[in-house]
Amino acid sequence: MSMRRLWTWLREDVWEIRFRRYVALTLAALLAALGVWGGLTATRTDRSCAPGVVRPAGADECVGVSSTAYDFGRARLAEAIKAVDRENRRLKPGSYVTVALVEPFTANDPESLSDVLHELQGAYLAQYQANHDSTGEPPPIRLVLANTGSDGAHWQRVVDQLAAMTTGSDRLRAVTGIGLSTDNNTAAVRALTARGIPVVGSSITSNELANGQDGKDPFPGLARVSPTNTDEARALASFAQLAAGRAVLVYDKPGDPYTRTLQSSFEKLLAGSPYQPWPFTPPANRNEEGTTANAFRQITHLVCDTPKSMNTILFAGRHTQLRQFINELGKRGCTDRKLTLLTGDEGAYLTGDQKLDRAALRRNLSVRYAALAHPDEWRTDPPKTGGSPAGAQRLQALVARAGTEPVGPIGQVTLDDGQSIIAYDAMTLAVQGLREATPAGRAAPRLADVVNEWSLMKGSQKVDGASGWICLDVHGNPYDKAVPIVEVTADGGARFVRIAWPEDKPPAKECLPPS
């Protein structure tokens, strides 16, 4: 072989080797890229928890809107959610309208999860009643569950999903629930109502999450079945015959929407008081213990420093801090003095709080709160107006059947904390609005027509709820709503005391809010 032919052969061989290596490396890189992409795809797929529910990046909880029997990883909710799913599957496709229950279904602390369970049970019982009522009035009601996360942080994702459900076969026409008065829930309600979606708040009481304050309506389309903090405070003052010179305020600083408006309402009642309010600063997450108990220990010293004529403490705070304060009051140096602590509806959590020192309630300390509802308020000597035994009995009859099919099982139902009652009433109001707004011959109402219904629910069109009459004013707030005053007992229960009224007396039989 000549040198030229040898060189040509070597050159061609070397280039072939290089080409093959290049192809191999390129294929390897391509396969690796596909592998990475496949891994990313698998990771994304794995973030799906159930239809409509995902685990967002960086989160350890599943959020979104569920229309199946998925229980969000909370076994306590499973039976009630299965009952909702069973009722939904019974409905004929294309015949129903959808209502979404917005709650923190992945709540971590036991008190909040109990609250969620009770609101879920109440909403479902109202759905069942609406769909099985003897009148057979259309449209049937489908219930879906919307989880914004344990602290409501994923509200934007849920709002987007719910807005998308207003079109197409879901026919979402109302949202209910929104149990807590928090900044995240306020943002969620603002976003929902801005998109024209009607909202019925169940246990929200904050003035900051209400229309009609200073004549403004920042949440067009929001209706509520619970009184505002201002109305709760007025009812408490009416009940206790409060005297400014004999009461002091203890409040959460900087507060949240619930505590801030309760504080403001109490301050108005104590105008001219000789005592400055006493603040405390809890952890940012008010379900945590923090070091607040130490501040409360010091506040009890201040309580004992006041004259004996000071016998009432108004408390504007959440339930964890309320329990801590009660425990410290039980250790105060002046247990020979009788004290009454008055607070808002967060007091309902105390009945299930295992960390509450109930012995404190045997040391000349009475703890009373403005409840949202109580099962005994219409049982003994009910007023002639403002509510009726019949309204309460409808729910109690459903509860009696809720242990077995076809109504249940939905888990153990308790009405003592008022959450199931108020959620039942919120769903009942939503159903009435949906049906009144649906034109004859139509399968579903327009969103705007449902919104318009809220201002008409008064007089003969009021809702005779299990918690009392719901007569909405033009801003969607209940007028002169019955406020049951409840006392926490040392044996672990909660005793109904009597009904109080924001207007100092029940509404007239017409139940027409004044101008």
Side-chain angles (χ1 to χ4, degrees):
M1 179 182 295
S2 68
M3 290 299 295
R4 177 174 292 184
R5 292 181 63 187
L6 176 62
W7 171 249
T8 301
W9 177 81
L10 287 172
R11 187 174 56 182
E12 292 175 349
D13 192 54
V14 168
W15 276 109
E16 184 177 358
I17 292 172
R18 286 180 177 176
F19 177 76
R20 288 178 178 176
R21 285 179 178 175
Y22 174 80
V23 171
L25 288 171
T26 301
L27 287 173
L30 179 60
L31 290 171
L34 289 172
V36 169
W37 177 252
L40 289 173
T41 304
T43 301
R44 289 172 180 168
T45 302
D46 290 343
R47 303 201 75 81
S48 175
C49 306
V53 183
V54 299
R55 185 181 292 105
D60 59 358
E61 57 184 341
C62 296
V63 299
V65 182
S66 174
S67 57
T68 67
Y70 177 66
D71 64 10
F72 295 95
R74 299 296 183 264
R76 287 190 63 189
L77 308 178
E79 281 191 316
I81 291 176
K82 286 178 181 176
V84 172
D85 182 57
R86 184 171 61 247
E87 179 64 18
N88 287 343
R89 285 188 287 106
R90 191 189 64 80
L91 303 177
K92 181 181 177 182
S95 69
Y96 54 73
V97 294
T98 298
V99 177
L101 176 66
V102 177
E103 294 287 342
F105 287 99
T106 47
N108 294 312
D109 63 290
E111 291 82 9
S112 295
L113 192 60
S114 291
D115 193 359
V116 171
L117 172 60
H118 297 163
E119 293 228 8
L120 169 62
Q121 291 169 327
Y124 162 70
L125 290 174
Q127 177 203 18
Y128 185 90
Q129 176 178 269
N131 290 343
H132 295 265
D133 188 280
S134 59
T135 62
E137 188 176 354
I141 306 300
R142 173 179 177 245
L143 182 61
V144 297
L145 311 181
N147 180 37
T148 55
S150 58
D151 60 357
H154 300 282
W155 63 267
Q156 185 65 67
R157 175 186 292 272
V158 169
V159 167
D160 290 342
Q161 283 184 263
L162 294 175
M165 292 172 67
T166 60
T167 59
S169 60
D170 287 306
R171 288 204 290 254
L172 181 95
R173 291 297 181 269
V175 169
T176 187
I178 319 284
L180 293 176
S181 304
T182 64
D183 291 327
N184 282 331
N185 280 347
T186 301
V189 173
R190 190 182 305 278
L192 285 165
T193 54
R195 299 191 188 196
I197 300 174
V199 177
V200 182
S202 56
S203 53
I204 51 175
T205 58
S206 167
N207 290 50
E208 295 180 17
L209 194 38
N211 290 320
Q213 310 304 301
D214 301 320
K216 299 177 180 178
D217 287 349
F219 312 102
L222 170 64
R224 301 157 39 119
V225 296
S226 296
T228 62
N229 280 340
T230 295
D231 279 358
E232 282 192 359
R234 292 171 62 203
L236 278 169
S238 172
F239 161 77
Q241 298 297 303
L242 199 61
R246 303 180 65 183
V248 69
L249 170 63
V250 176
Y251 70 96
D252 177 332
K253 182 180 180 180
D256 62 20
Y258 166 81
T259 63
R260 283 194 299 265
T261 55
L262 190 58
Q263 171 199 344
S264 176
S265 300
F266 282 157
E267 284 175 339
K268 292 176 182 176
L269 298 177
L270 297 182
S273 171
Y275 311 111
Q276 278 192 336
W278 299 327
F280 62 90
T281 302
N285 181 348
R286 285 162 176 78
N287 291 322
E288 295 177 356
E289 300 291 321
T291 59
T292 323
N294 186 55
F296 289 139
R297 176 183 58 79
Q298 298 172 72
I299 289 176
T300 63
H301 294 316
L302 300 178
V303 170
C304 292
D305 289 341
T306 61
K308 290 187 177 180
S309 59
M310 200 292 291
N311 57 14
T312 303
I313 302 171
L314 302 181
F315 186 85
R318 291 287 184 179
H319 64 273
T320 299
Q321 289 72 49
L322 173 61
R323 180 248 298 155
Q324 290 177 320
F325 188 38
I326 293 170
N327 289 352
E328 294 302 321
L329 283 171
K331 305 170 190 174
R332 71 191 187 280
C334 53
T335 53
D336 58 317
R337 286 173 59 179
K338 288 186 177 181
L339 293 173
T340 298
L341 186 152
L342 300 177
T343 192
D345 55 275
E346 284 270 315
Y349 286 97
L350 294 174
T351 57
D353 195 331
Q354 300 303 312
K355 296 180 181 179
L356 177 66
D357 178 12
R358 299 194 175 275
L361 303 174
R362 299 187 180 96
R363 296 173 185 144
N364 281 327
L365 177 64
S366 297
V367 176
R368 293 174 171 176
Y369 60 93
L372 299 179
H374 193 277
D376 292 337
E377 62 182 307
W378 304 107
R379 285 178 176 169
T380 56
D381 193 28
K384 294 181 179 180
T385 62
S388 73
Q393 288 165 1
R394 282 191 288 272
L395 173 57
Q396 290 161 0
L398 281 169
V399 170
R401 300 169 55 200
T404 58
E405 291 192 27
V407 180
I410 59 173
Q412 184 175 356
V413 183
T414 176
L415 301 179
D416 288 351
D417 65 1
Q419 297 297 329
S420 291
I421 298 174
I422 210 72
Y424 167 87
D425 279 356
M427 187 69 169
T428 300
L429 185 143
V431 170
Q432 180 169 317
L434 290 167
R435 290 182 169 173
E436 291 289 349
T438 302
R442 293 279 298 274
R446 297 188 314 150
L447 290 168
D449 290 341
V450 179
V451 168
N452 291 337
E453 284 298 320
W454 302 154
S455 62
L456 302 175
M457 291 192 174
K458 61 193 73 174
S460 60
Q461 298 184 93
K462 65 182 177 293
V463 173
D464 186 13
S467 64
W469 287 355
I470 303 167
C471 313
L472 298 182
D473 63 19
V474 293
H475 305 289
N477 299 317
Y479 166 68
D480 200 18
K481 179 73 186 295
V483 177
I485 307 301
V486 176
E487 181 173 2
V488 183
T489 60
D491 63 2
R495 180 179 68 88
F496 168 70
V497 180
R498 73 175 175 85
I499 297 176
W501 305 92
E503 300 293 329
D504 202 36
K505 61 181 180 180
K509 65 180 186 300
E510 294 82 10
C511 203
L512 295 171
S515 172

PDB file of all heavy atoms in Angstrom, residues 482-513:
ATOM      1  N   ALA A 482     -80.437  36.715  66.404  1.00  0.00           N
ATOM      2  CA  ALA A 482     -80.391  36.132  67.751  1.00  0.00           C
ATOM      3  C   ALA A 482     -78.964  35.733  68.111  1.00  0.00           C
ATOM      4  O   ALA A 482     -78.281  35.075  67.321  1.00  0.00           O
ATOM      5  CB  ALA A 482     -81.311  34.913  67.812  1.00  0.00           C
ATOM      6  N   VAL A 483     -78.510  36.129  69.297  1.00  0.00           N
ATOM      7  CA  VAL A 483     -77.163  35.802  69.767  1.00  0.00           C
ATOM      8  C   VAL A 483     -77.301  35.026  71.071  1.00  0.00           C
ATOM      9  O   VAL A 483     -77.571  35.615  72.124  1.00  0.00           O
ATOM     10  CB  VAL A 483     -76.314  37.070  69.990  1.00  0.00           C
ATOM     11  CG1 VAL A 483     -74.934  36.698  70.546  1.00  0.00           C
ATOM     12  CG2 VAL A 483     -76.184  37.868  68.707  1.00  0.00           C
ATOM     13  N   PRO A 484     -77.141  33.707  71.045  1.00  0.00           N
ATOM     14  CA  PRO A 484     -77.222  32.945  72.286  1.00  0.00           C
ATOM     15  C   PRO A 484     -75.994  33.185  73.162  1.00  0.00           C
ATOM     16  O   PRO A 484     -74.860  33.082  72.686  1.00  0.00           O
ATOM     17  CB  PRO A 484     -77.302  31.489  71.817  1.00  0.00           C
ATOM     18  CG  PRO A 484     -76.710  31.492  70.447  1.00  0.00           C
ATOM     19  CD  PRO A 484     -76.958  32.853  69.865  1.00  0.00           C
ATOM     20  N   ILE A 485     -76.206  33.534  74.410  1.00  0.00           N
ATOM     21  CA  ILE A 485     -75.116  33.677  75.375  1.00  0.00           C
ATOM     22  C   ILE A 485     -74.914  32.322  76.047  1.00  0.00           C
ATOM     23  O   ILE A 485     -75.865  31.741  76.581  1.00  0.00           O
ATOM     24  CB  ILE A 485     -75.416  34.762  76.417  1.00  0.00           C
ATOM     25  CG1 ILE A 485     -75.785  36.078  75.715  1.00  0.00           C
ATOM     26  CG2 ILE A 485     -74.223  34.943  77.347  1.00  0.00           C
ATOM     27  CD1 ILE A 485     -74.714  36.622  74.809  1.00  0.00           C
ATOM     28  N   VAL A 486     -73.682  31.829  75.992  1.00  0.00           N
ATOM     29  CA  VAL A 486     -73.368  30.479  76.467  1.00  0.00           C
ATOM     30  C   VAL A 486     -72.265  30.562  77.512  1.00  0.00           C
ATOM     31  O   VAL A 486     -71.328  31.359  77.378  1.00  0.00           O
ATOM     32  CB  VAL A 486     -72.929  29.577  75.288  1.00  0.00           C
ATOM     33  CG1 VAL A 486     -72.514  28.193  75.771  1.00  0.00           C
ATOM     34  CG2 VAL A 486     -74.063  29.459  74.268  1.00  0.00           C
ATOM     35  N   GLU A 487     -72.376  29.750  78.540  1.00  0.00           N
ATOM     36  CA  GLU A 487     -71.381  29.731  79.613  1.00  0.00           C
ATOM     37  C   GLU A 487     -70.596  28.420  79.582  1.00  0.00           C
ATOM     38  O   GLU A 487     -71.191  27.329  79.478  1.00  0.00           O
ATOM     39  CB  GLU A 487     -72.044  29.889  80.978  1.00  0.00           C
ATOM     40  CG  GLU A 487     -71.063  29.905  82.129  1.00  0.00           C
ATOM     41  CD  GLU A 487     -71.696  30.232  83.467  1.00  0.00           C
ATOM     42  OE1 GLU A 487     -72.936  30.409  83.512  1.00  0.00           O
ATOM     43  OE2 GLU A 487     -70.962  30.327  84.468  1.00  0.00           O
ATOM     44  N   VAL A 488     -69.285  28.509  79.647  1.00  0.00           N
ATOM     45  CA  VAL A 488     -68.427  27.325  79.712  1.00  0.00           C
ATOM     46  C   VAL A 488     -68.518  26.762  81.118  1.00  0.00           C
ATOM     47  O   VAL A 488     -68.376  27.489  82.102  1.00  0.00           O
ATOM     48  CB  VAL A 488     -66.964  27.680  79.374  1.00  0.00           C
ATOM     49  CG1 VAL A 488     -66.098  26.427  79.374  1.00  0.00           C
ATOM     50  CG2 VAL A 488     -66.881  28.372  78.021  1.00  0.00           C
ATOM     51  N   THR A 489     -68.758  25.454  81.226  1.00  0.00           N
ATOM     52  CA  THR A 489     -68.940  24.837  82.541  1.00  0.00           C
ATOM     53  C   THR A 489     -67.710  24.032  82.956  1.00  0.00           C
ATOM     54  O   THR A 489     -66.939  23.568  82.111  1.00  0.00           O
ATOM     55  CB  THR A 489     -70.169  23.910  82.541  1.00  0.00           C
ATOM     56  OG1 THR A 489     -69.976  22.877  81.556  1.00  0.00           O
ATOM     57  CG2 THR A 489     -71.426  24.688  82.204  1.00  0.00           C
ATOM     58  N   ALA A 490     -67.552  23.876  84.251  1.00  0.00           N
ATOM     59  CA  ALA A 490     -66.383  23.183  84.791  1.00  0.00           C
ATOM     60  C   ALA A 490     -66.404  21.692  84.480  1.00  0.00           C
ATOM     61  O   ALA A 490     -65.356  21.032  84.550  1.00  0.00           O
ATOM     62  CB  ALA A 490     -66.300  23.398  86.299  1.00  0.00           C
ATOM     63  N   ASP A 491     -67.566  21.148  84.128  1.00  0.00           N
ATOM     64  CA  ASP A 491     -67.648  19.710  83.845  1.00  0.00           C
ATOM     65  C   ASP A 491     -67.349  19.384  82.385  1.00  0.00           C
ATOM     66  O   ASP A 491     -67.478  18.240  81.957  1.00  0.00           O
ATOM     67  CB  ASP A 491     -69.015  19.166  84.248  1.00  0.00           C
ATOM     68  CG  ASP A 491     -70.162  19.796  83.455  1.00  0.00           C
ATOM     69  OD1 ASP A 491     -69.884  20.629  82.560  1.00  0.00           O
ATOM     70  OD2 ASP A 491     -71.330  19.475  83.737  1.00  0.00           O
ATOM     71  N   GLY A 492     -66.978  20.383  81.596  1.00  0.00           N
ATOM     72  CA  GLY A 492     -66.584  20.134  80.213  1.00  0.00           C
ATOM     73  C   GLY A 492     -67.627  20.494  79.186  1.00  0.00           C
ATOM     74  O   GLY A 492     -67.406  20.301  77.990  1.00  0.00           O
ATOM     75  N   GLY A 493     -68.746  21.032  79.627  1.00  0.00           N
ATOM     76  CA  GLY A 493     -69.805  21.370  78.697  1.00  0.00           C
ATOM     77  C   GLY A 493     -69.941  22.860  78.469  1.00  0.00           C
ATOM     78  O   GLY A 493     -69.083  23.659  78.848  1.00  0.00           O
ATOM     79  N   ALA A 494     -71.042  23.228  77.843  1.00  0.00           N
ATOM     80  CA  ALA A 494     -71.361  24.625  77.583  1.00  0.00           C
ATOM     81  C   ALA A 494     -72.854  24.803  77.834  1.00  0.00           C
ATOM     82  O   ALA A 494     -73.676  24.148  77.189  1.00  0.00           O
ATOM     83  CB  ALA A 494     -70.998  25.009  76.154  1.00  0.00           C
ATOM     84  N   ARG A 495     -73.213  25.674  78.751  1.00  0.00           N
ATOM     85  CA  ARG A 495     -74.598  25.844  79.174  1.00  0.00           C
ATOM     86  C   ARG A 495     -75.209  27.073  78.514  1.00  0.00           C
ATOM     87  O   ARG A 495     -74.659  28.175  78.602  1.00  0.00           O
ATOM     88  CB  ARG A 495     -74.649  25.992  80.694  1.00  0.00           C
ATOM     89  CG  ARG A 495     -76.042  26.188  81.272  1.00  0.00           C
ATOM     90  CD  ARG A 495     -75.994  26.311  82.784  1.00  0.00           C
ATOM     91  NE  ARG A 495     -75.345  27.546  83.205  1.00  0.00           N
ATOM     92  CZ  ARG A 495     -75.981  28.720  83.375  1.00  0.00           C
ATOM     93  NH1 ARG A 495     -77.280  28.810  83.122  1.00  0.00           N
ATOM     94  NH2 ARG A 495     -75.321  29.789  83.788  1.00  0.00           N
ATOM     95  N   PHE A 496     -76.334  26.863  77.840  1.00  0.00           N
ATOM     96  CA  PHE A 496     -77.055  27.992  77.269  1.00  0.00           C
ATOM     97  C   PHE A 496     -77.639  28.830  78.399  1.00  0.00           C
ATOM     98  O   PHE A 496     -78.280  28.314  79.320  1.00  0.00           O
ATOM     99  CB  PHE A 496     -78.164  27.487  76.346  1.00  0.00           C
ATOM    100  CG  PHE A 496     -79.143  28.545  75.919  1.00  0.00           C
ATOM    101  CD1 PHE A 496     -78.753  29.544  75.045  1.00  0.00           C
ATOM    102  CD2 PHE A 496     -80.448  28.543  76.403  1.00  0.00           C
ATOM    103  CE1 PHE A 496     -79.646  30.528  74.649  1.00  0.00           C
ATOM    104  CE2 PHE A 496     -81.348  29.514  76.005  1.00  0.00           C
ATOM    105  CZ  PHE A 496     -80.954  30.514  75.129  1.00  0.00           C
ATOM    106  N   VAL A 497     -77.411  30.145  78.316  1.00  0.00           N
ATOM    107  CA  VAL A 497     -77.910  31.049  79.355  1.00  0.00           C
ATOM    108  C   VAL A 497     -79.206  31.711  78.885  1.00  0.00           C
ATOM    109  O   VAL A 497     -80.260  31.511  79.461  1.00  0.00           O
ATOM    110  CB  VAL A 497     -76.842  32.105  79.726  1.00  0.00           C
ATOM    111  CG1 VAL A 497     -77.381  33.045  80.812  1.00  0.00           C
ATOM    112  CG2 VAL A 497     -75.560  31.425  80.192  1.00  0.00           C
ATOM    113  N   ARG A 498     -79.118  32.515  77.851  1.00  0.00           N
ATOM    114  CA  ARG A 498     -80.319  33.091  77.230  1.00  0.00           C
ATOM    115  C   ARG A 498     -79.934  33.768  75.913  1.00  0.00           C
ATOM    116  O   ARG A 498     -78.761  33.965  75.628  1.00  0.00           O
ATOM    117  CB  ARG A 498     -81.027  34.061  78.160  1.00  0.00           C
ATOM    118  CG  ARG A 498     -80.350  35.382  78.379  1.00  0.00           C
ATOM    119  CD  ARG A 498     -81.255  36.277  79.230  1.00  0.00           C
ATOM    120  NE  ARG A 498     -80.635  37.535  79.585  1.00  0.00           N
ATOM    121  CZ  ARG A 498     -80.646  38.619  78.807  1.00  0.00           C
ATOM    122  NH1 ARG A 498     -81.206  38.582  77.606  1.00  0.00           N
ATOM    123  NH2 ARG A 498     -80.075  39.748  79.224  1.00  0.00           N
ATOM    124  N   ILE A 499     -80.945  34.130  75.139  1.00  0.00           N
ATOM    125  CA  ILE A 499     -80.709  34.841  73.890  1.00  0.00           C
ATOM    126  C   ILE A 499     -80.569  36.336  74.181  1.00  0.00           C
ATOM    127  O   ILE A 499     -81.322  36.903  74.980  1.00  0.00           O
ATOM    128  CB  ILE A 499     -81.867  34.620  72.900  1.00  0.00           C
ATOM    129  CG1 ILE A 499     -81.964  33.133  72.516  1.00  0.00           C
ATOM    130  CG2 ILE A 499     -81.667  35.451  71.635  1.00  0.00           C
ATOM    131  CD1 ILE A 499     -83.140  32.819  71.604  1.00  0.00           C
ATOM    132  N   ALA A 500     -79.600  36.947  73.537  1.00  0.00           N
ATOM    133  CA  ALA A 500     -79.451  38.397  73.593  1.00  0.00           C
ATOM    134  C   ALA A 500     -79.608  38.949  72.179  1.00  0.00           C
ATOM    135  O   ALA A 500     -79.497  38.208  71.195  1.00  0.00           O
ATOM    136  CB  ALA A 500     -78.092  38.776  74.173  1.00  0.00           C
ATOM    137  N   TRP A 501     -79.845  40.240  72.078  1.00  0.00           N
ATOM    138  CA  TRP A 501     -80.154  40.837  70.785  1.00  0.00           C
ATOM    139  C   TRP A 501     -79.314  42.089  70.568  1.00  0.00           C
ATOM    140  O   TRP A 501     -79.190  42.934  71.463  1.00  0.00           O
ATOM    141  CB  TRP A 501     -81.641  41.206  70.704  1.00  0.00           C
ATOM    142  CG  TRP A 501     -82.534  40.040  70.992  1.00  0.00           C
ATOM    143  CD1 TRP A 501     -83.049  39.688  72.201  1.00  0.00           C
ATOM    144  CD2 TRP A 501     -82.985  39.058  70.060  1.00  0.00           C
ATOM    145  NE1 TRP A 501     -83.803  38.555  72.083  1.00  0.00           N
ATOM    146  CE2 TRP A 501     -83.785  38.142  70.779  1.00  0.00           C
ATOM    147  CE3 TRP A 501     -82.802  38.866  68.689  1.00  0.00           C
ATOM    148  CZ2 TRP A 501     -84.393  37.048  70.168  1.00  0.00           C
ATOM    149  CZ3 TRP A 501     -83.414  37.781  68.082  1.00  0.00           C
ATOM    150  CH2 TRP A 501     -84.194  36.884  68.816  1.00  0.00           C
ATOM    151  N   PRO A 502     -78.755  42.268  69.386  1.00  0.00           N
ATOM    152  CA  PRO A 502     -78.002  43.493  69.097  1.00  0.00           C
ATOM    153  C   PRO A 502     -78.836  44.758  69.276  1.00  0.00           C
ATOM    154  O   PRO A 502     -78.322  45.808  69.671  1.00  0.00           O
ATOM    155  CB  PRO A 502     -77.584  43.313  67.633  1.00  0.00           C
ATOM    156  CG  PRO A 502     -77.565  41.830  67.423  1.00  0.00           C
ATOM    157  CD  PRO A 502     -78.678  41.306  68.274  1.00  0.00           C
ATOM    158  N   GLU A 503     -80.144  44.664  68.973  1.00  0.00           N
ATOM    159  CA  GLU A 503     -81.033  45.818  69.116  1.00  0.00           C
ATOM    160  C   GLU A 503     -81.719  45.842  70.474  1.00  0.00           C
ATOM    161  O   GLU A 503     -82.686  46.577  70.671  1.00  0.00           O
ATOM    162  CB  GLU A 503     -82.092  45.802  68.002  1.00  0.00           C
ATOM    163  CG  GLU A 503     -81.526  45.855  66.590  1.00  0.00           C
ATOM    164  CD  GLU A 503     -80.847  47.188  66.298  1.00  0.00           C
ATOM    165  OE1 GLU A 503     -81.271  48.216  66.858  1.00  0.00           O
ATOM    166  OE2 GLU A 503     -79.873  47.187  65.515  1.00  0.00           O
ATOM    167  N   ASP A 504     -81.240  45.017  71.413  1.00  0.00           N
ATOM    168  CA  ASP A 504     -81.747  44.952  72.795  1.00  0.00           C
ATOM    169  C   ASP A 504     -83.105  44.262  72.905  1.00  0.00           C
ATOM    170  O   ASP A 504     -83.611  44.065  74.005  1.00  0.00           O
ATOM    171  CB  ASP A 504     -81.818  46.357  73.405  1.00  0.00           C
ATOM    172  CG  ASP A 504     -81.803  46.330  74.933  1.00  0.00           C
ATOM    173  OD1 ASP A 504     -81.105  45.458  75.493  1.00  0.00           O
ATOM    174  OD2 ASP A 504     -82.495  47.156  75.559  1.00  0.00           O
ATOM    175  N   LYS A 505     -83.710  43.889  71.786  1.00  0.00           N
ATOM    176  CA  LYS A 505     -84.970  43.162  71.790  1.00  0.00           C
ATOM    177  C   LYS A 505     -85.115  42.457  70.455  1.00  0.00           C
ATOM    178  O   LYS A 505     -84.467  42.834  69.467  1.00  0.00           O
ATOM    179  CB  LYS A 505     -86.154  44.092  72.041  1.00  0.00           C
ATOM    180  CG  LYS A 505     -86.320  45.161  70.982  1.00  0.00           C
ATOM    181  CD  LYS A 505     -87.492  46.078  71.305  1.00  0.00           C
ATOM    182  CE  LYS A 505     -87.657  47.150  70.229  1.00  0.00           C
ATOM    183  NZ  LYS A 505     -88.801  48.063  70.531  1.00  0.00           N
ATOM    184  N   PRO A 506     -85.958  41.410  70.363  1.00  0.00           N
ATOM    185  CA  PRO A 506     -86.121  40.684  69.105  1.00  0.00           C
ATOM    186  C   PRO A 506     -86.704  41.583  68.015  1.00  0.00           C
ATOM    187  O   PRO A 506     -87.347  42.598  68.298  1.00  0.00           O
ATOM    188  CB  PRO A 506     -87.099  39.556  69.465  1.00  0.00           C
ATOM    189  CG  PRO A 506     -87.076  39.460  70.938  1.00  0.00           C
ATOM    190  CD  PRO A 506     -86.761  40.827  71.450  1.00  0.00           C
ATOM    191  N   PRO A 507     -86.486  41.213  66.737  1.00  0.00           N
ATOM    192  CA  PRO A 507     -87.085  41.999  65.652  1.00  0.00           C
ATOM    193  C   PRO A 507     -88.604  41.839  65.646  1.00  0.00           C
ATOM    194  O   PRO A 507     -89.153  40.890  66.202  1.00  0.00           O
ATOM    195  CB  PRO A 507     -86.458  41.384  64.397  1.00  0.00           C
ATOM    196  CG  PRO A 507     -86.132  39.980  64.789  1.00  0.00           C
ATOM    197  CD  PRO A 507     -85.739  40.048  66.233  1.00  0.00           C
ATOM    198  N   ALA A 508     -89.274  42.783  65.021  1.00  0.00           N
ATOM    199  CA  ALA A 508     -90.725  42.679  64.863  1.00  0.00           C
ATOM    200  C   ALA A 508     -91.054  41.511  63.954  1.00  0.00           C
ATOM    201  O   ALA A 508     -90.201  41.002  63.218  1.00  0.00           O
ATOM    202  CB  ALA A 508     -91.271  43.982  64.279  1.00  0.00           C
ATOM    203  N   LYS A 509     -92.305  41.086  63.990  1.00  0.00           N
ATOM    204  CA  LYS A 509     -92.697  39.897  63.231  1.00  0.00           C
ATOM    205  C   LYS A 509     -92.492  40.067  61.727  1.00  0.00           C
ATOM    206  O   LYS A 509     -92.307  39.095  61.003  1.00  0.00           O
ATOM    207  CB  LYS A 509     -94.154  39.532  63.530  1.00  0.00           C
ATOM    208  CG  LYS A 509     -95.179  40.540  63.080  1.00  0.00           C
ATOM    209  CD  LYS A 509     -96.599  40.065  63.426  1.00  0.00           C
ATOM    210  CE  LYS A 509     -97.674  40.977  62.861  1.00  0.00           C
ATOM    211  NZ  LYS A 509     -97.583  42.363  63.353  1.00  0.00           N
ATOM    212  N   GLU A 510     -92.477  41.318  61.234  1.00  0.00           N
ATOM    213  CA  GLU A 510     -92.241  41.552  59.813  1.00  0.00           C
ATOM    214  C   GLU A 510     -90.779  41.325  59.441  1.00  0.00           C
ATOM    215  O   GLU A 510     -90.472  41.020  58.293  1.00  0.00           O
ATOM    216  CB  GLU A 510     -92.645  42.985  59.433  1.00  0.00           C
ATOM    217  CG  GLU A 510     -94.126  43.260  59.553  1.00  0.00           C
ATOM    218  CD  GLU A 510     -94.530  43.584  61.003  1.00  0.00           C
ATOM    219  OE1 GLU A 510     -93.616  43.775  61.833  1.00  0.00           O
ATOM    220  OE2 GLU A 510     -95.742  43.647  61.274  1.00  0.00           O
ATOM    221  N   CYS A 511     -89.873  41.519  60.375  1.00  0.00           N
ATOM    222  CA  CYS A 511     -88.430  41.340  60.173  1.00  0.00           C
ATOM    223  C   CYS A 511     -87.952  42.103  58.938  1.00  0.00           C
ATOM    224  O   CYS A 511     -87.322  41.544  58.036  1.00  0.00           O
ATOM    225  CB  CYS A 511     -88.063  39.866  60.060  1.00  0.00           C
ATOM    226  SG  CYS A 511     -86.322  39.533  60.469  1.00  0.00           S
ATOM    227  N   LEU A 512     -88.255  43.390  58.917  1.00  0.00           N
ATOM    228  CA  LEU A 512     -87.818  44.271  57.832  1.00  0.00           C
ATOM    229  C   LEU A 512     -86.803  45.252  58.401  1.00  0.00           C
ATOM    230  O   LEU A 512     -87.154  46.113  59.216  1.00  0.00           O
ATOM    231  CB  LEU A 512     -89.011  45.030  57.245  1.00  0.00           C
ATOM    232  CG  LEU A 512     -90.064  44.178  56.534  1.00  0.00           C
ATOM    233  CD1 LEU A 512     -91.291  45.004  56.180  1.00  0.00           C
ATOM    234  CD2 LEU A 512     -89.472  43.535  55.286  1.00  0.00           C
ATOM    235  N   PRO A 513     -85.533  45.126  58.013  1.00  0.00           N
ATOM    236  CA  PRO A 513     -84.508  46.037  58.548  1.00  0.00           C
ATOM    237  C   PRO A 513     -84.873  47.494  58.285  1.00  0.00           C
ATOM    238  O   PRO A 513     -85.308  47.844  57.184  1.00  0.00           O
ATOM    239  CB  PRO A 513     -83.244  45.640  57.779  1.00  0.00           C
ATOM    240  CG  PRO A 513     -83.482  44.233  57.352  1.00  0.00           C
ATOM    241  CD  PRO A 513     -84.952  44.153  57.081  1.00  0.00           C
TER     242      PRO A 513
END
